[in-house]
Amino acid sequence: MEFELGERATLGRRAECDIPIRDTGASRLHAEILKNGKDFLIRDLKSKNGTLVNGETVDEHWLAPGDRVMIGHTILAFYLDKPRNRWVGRQLEGYHILEFLSEGGMGAVYRAKQISMERVVAIKILNEKLVQNKDFIERFLLEAKAAGRLNHANVIQVFDVGMNNGTYFFSMEFVDGPTVGRLLRDRGRLSTEDCLDIILPMAEALDFAHKNSLVHRDIKPENIMINSDGQVKLADLGLARSPNDEMVDLVDGKKIVWGTPSYMSPEQAMGQKLDGRSDLYSLGATWYHMITGGPPFTGNSDPEIMEHHISTPLTPVCERSRDVSREVGDILERLLKKHPEERYQTGGELAEAIAACRGRMRSPAKEGGPTASDSGRFRKLLADTFRFRKRANGEDDTI
């Protein structure tokens, strides 16, 4: 979703705000953006949780193109020109760019047509600011190829990686549906059954990735997608790497932490070496958000949230959502144990636990296969998918 900025724009949970933020972490009147000539100033309006720009809490900040404003758990990207206009209508190495979809940390994603195969794909084009860094480009190419090795029904397939006149890109399967993050912003939370039907294939996808020596490192609602057939897909392997790789800042060589603080495992927050159990923690944090309406921990800054993951006891799921069964709560809370050895050890082990729980939840009439009520529930989920497509054509799904 894009917002045109005038002389003054207000941001917050109030419906009358110029940029409404449907996020429990946002104050009713959270911040404002003021125009001064060609420049724009964002000012926090004494909000409860603060306003962050590029990860730093600010009272006032002059915005620059590419700045990312975080209010609660909602991220907005600031641009002086519309990102979709940069490539739409142009051709890139055998692809015709049709539509801007979203902007992420590594670059922009577009819907495109692969001319040789006559199929619709998604293309991620590397951020122009990062092209100058040879180490980053090397990592970009290695990770795209690593993602291409994963051929699984619940993992978005990478087709091609390349470079043309200094522009680096990779093409991948196009998913014609929303992220779980979008569904949460629309609906607040998901039912227990919908959660199980989403988390189960994600556990299987992670089990496959881990068996191929890849750790995703950024499992979150925005990286889980649902296509028009109701199939769940794991997205954005841009942070996936071998468990033996170190996390290195490509600018000055210092150790840094990859990932999204709201869903980050304790060992990831501490900058330790990771294995698949870290992804399972992040999947648990995502599930917690899906079923309760909010992530396990919140705070006024990324370091504060990360510290909560490391040392703050988890509020039991059933205290946040009293309609969640004890069995479901036990599975979810085991994923969110502070120590990796106390969690499920593999995605396969988690998938078995979820499948058994889901089987016990269903009545005997359902055990033989889907019933009319199942079909109705999935039709509702697909209705959300198509409503998303009609309403948000070209929308940045990080907003």
Side-chain angles (χ1 to χ4, degrees):
M1 182 177 294
E2 293 182 354
F3 298 95
E4 297 289 340
L5 297 176
E7 296 299 317
R8 179 177 184 265
T10 55
L11 302 87
R13 285 193 292 114
R14 288 181 180 174
E16 57 267 27
C17 284
D18 300 298
I19 303 178
I21 307 294
R22 298 175 59 183
D23 189 316
T24 56
S27 298
R28 290 176 58 79
L29 187 60
H30 195 105
E32 63 180 356
I33 298 177
L34 304 173
K35 184 178 181 181
N36 183 4
K38 295 183 179 180
D39 297 322
F40 292 87
L41 175 77
I42 187 166
R43 175 183 294 154
D44 185 80
L45 297 177
K46 297 182 178 179
S47 64
K48 180 179 179 180
N49 294 321
T51 300
L52 280 70
V53 178
N54 301 326
E56 299 291 334
T57 301
V58 300
D59 293 323
E60 292 185 346
H61 180 83
W62 290 102
L63 293 170
D67 278 350
R68 302 184 79 77
V69 177
M70 185 172 184
I71 294 178
H73 303 286
T74 300
I75 299 175
L76 303 99
F78 175 75
Y79 292 99
L80 293 179
D81 59 335
K82 295 183 179 181
R84 67 178 65 189
N85 291 336
R86 297 176 185 175
W87 283 97
V88 173
R90 297 170 61 183
Q91 289 196 13
L92 176 65
E93 273 304 285
Y95 298 91
H96 181 64
I97 310 298
L98 302 174
E99 175 188 12
F100 170 81
L101 295 176
S102 65
E103 186 93 6
M106 285 184 66
V109 180
Y110 297 84
R111 184 170 64 90
K113 181 178 181 180
Q114 186 176 10
I115 299 172
S116 62
M117 301 295 291
E118 295 188 348
R119 64 179 172 185
V120 174
V121 301
I123 283 187
K124 176 169 281 189
I125 298 177
L126 188 65
N127 190 320
E128 294 175 359
K129 296 179 181 179
L130 301 176
V131 170
Q132 301 174 11
N133 191 310
K134 294 182 180 180
D135 290 333
F136 193 95
I137 291 173
E138 182 178 352
R139 182 168 71 89
F140 169 80
L141 295 172
L142 287 174
E143 291 174 355
K145 293 174 182 178
R149 293 200 301 268
L150 296 183
N151 185 7
H152 187 277
N154 299 113
V155 175
I156 290 180
Q157 180 67 46
V158 172
F159 296 136
D160 185 23
V161 59
M163 186 272 288
N164 178 260
N165 292 327
T167 297
Y168 291 82
F169 69 93
F170 66 87
S171 65
M172 53 193 165
E173 174 186 0
F174 175 72
V175 179
D176 56 345
T179 65
V180 167
R182 170 57 59 185
L183 292 180
L184 289 174
R185 287 190 286 275
D186 285 347
R187 299 163 62 177
R189 51 174 293 206
L190 304 181
S191 70
T192 295
E193 284 191 275
D194 281 344
C195 288
L196 293 176
D197 288 340
I198 290 170
I199 297 298
L200 175 57
M202 286 299 92
E204 294 172 339
L206 286 176
D207 191 53
F208 180 81
H210 298 159
K211 286 177 178 177
N212 282 272
S213 300
L214 286 174
V215 179
H216 189 287
R217 297 178 183 265
D218 198 23
I219 302 297
K220 57 185 177 181
E222 285 74 16
N223 279 338
I224 301 174
M225 302 193 73
I226 304 171
N227 68 17
S228 58
D229 294 324
Q231 189 174 30
V232 184
K233 297 274 189 176
L234 175 61
D236 197 356
L237 288 171
L239 293 178
R241 52 182 64 237
S242 166
N244 294 322
D245 288 348
E246 289 189 338
M247 297 173 291
V248 178
D249 187 312
L250 297 173
V251 177
D252 58 17
K254 294 180 180 179
K255 285 282 187 89
I256 63 170
V257 175
W258 299 105
T260 302
S262 292
Y263 311 98
M264 190 177 287
S265 71
E267 60 269 28
Q268 188 172 8
M270 291 186 288
Q272 297 177 354
K273 185 172 289 188
L274 305 181
D275 59 29
R277 295 172 296 182
S278 176
D279 281 345
L280 295 181
Y281 180 99
S282 297
L283 184 63
T286 297
W287 186 1
Y288 193 100
H289 189 168
M290 291 162 60
I291 207 165
T292 68
F297 303 106
T298 58
N300 294 323
S301 66
D302 289 349
E304 181 180 344
I305 296 171
M306 293 160 69
E307 181 58 36
H308 284 315
H309 282 290
I310 295 168
S311 59
T312 302
L314 178 72
T315 300
V317 180
C318 295
E319 291 184 17
R320 294 273 298 267
S321 295
R322 299 192 181 278
D323 59 337
V324 176
S325 72
R326 184 65 264 170
E327 183 178 12
V328 170
D330 287 344
I331 296 173
L332 204 168
E333 289 163 23
R334 182 176 171 186
L335 283 171
L336 292 172
K337 294 292 186 181
K338 303 296 186 187
H339 302 290
E341 60 270 15
E342 297 179 358
R343 301 172 201 150
Y344 292 98
Q345 298 300 289
T346 67
E349 184 184 1
L350 171 62
E352 289 179 5
I354 293 174
C357 173
R358 187 172 62 169
R360 285 187 288 270
M361 287 176 57
R362 297 172 184 265
S363 66
K366 289 189 176 185
E367 290 179 356
T371 66
S373 62
D374 284 327
S375 300
R377 184 166 56 80
F378 283 114
R379 280 199 298 270
K380 174 66 170 64
L381 198 60
L382 292 180
D384 286 332
T385 297
F386 290 115
R387 177 165 56 84
F388 167 84
R389 291 179 65 194
K390 292 177 181 179
R391 189 192 62 187
N393 186 26
E395 184 170 338
D396 185 340
D397 213 32
T398 63
I399 292 179

